[in-house]
Amino acid sequence: MDGAQVVIKSSVSLREDQHAFAKALVDAGRFPSVSAVLQQGLDLLQQQEADAQADRVALQVLLQQRANGSFIAADQLRARLAAHPR
């Protein structure tokens, strides 16, 4: 494929307030159509999901590193914390 985006027509239902908001964005010239508003919203959700997935993977890696690391006794931890005032 040459990288061109294929557009698929789809019917969606919006609440009255959602449609009014999207229409106001179009009327203000921020978007060419209500469809463009919805596409932008989906793009933002897609990016948010990708970011959340990356955060989950990074957290899993960190937790695995911590689990594989050495542990210290609670007394040693308290002493280290006490040695570093806030």
Side-chain angles (χ1 to χ4, degrees):
M1 193 166 206
D2 63 0
Q5 296 289 328
V6 175
V7 176
I8 299 172
K9 291 197 179 259
S10 180
S11 175
V12 298
S13 298
L14 299 174
R15 294 188 320 254
E16 187 176 335
D17 63 311
Q18 292 171 325
H19 184 265
F21 178 68
K23 186 81 171 90
L25 292 172
V26 172
D27 292 345
R30 295 199 42 206
F31 292 90
S33 66
V34 170
S35 290
V37 174
L38 296 177
Q39 289 168 355
Q40 177 70 31
L42 287 172
D43 287 344
L44 290 170
L45 283 171
Q46 191 173 27
Q47 184 60 53
Q48 185 180 40
E49 280 298 312
D51 291 347
Q53 179 60 27
D55 287 347
R56 284 189 293 273
V57 168
L59 180 57
Q60 286 175 333
V61 168
L62 179 62
L63 290 172
Q64 190 61 49
Q65 288 173 342
R66 296 295 293 166
N68 293 337
S70 61
F71 290 90
I72 62 172
D75 292 342
Q76 290 174 317
L77 177 59
R78 284 188 203 93
R80 285 186 188 180
L81 291 174
H84 298 287
R86 295 179 187 193

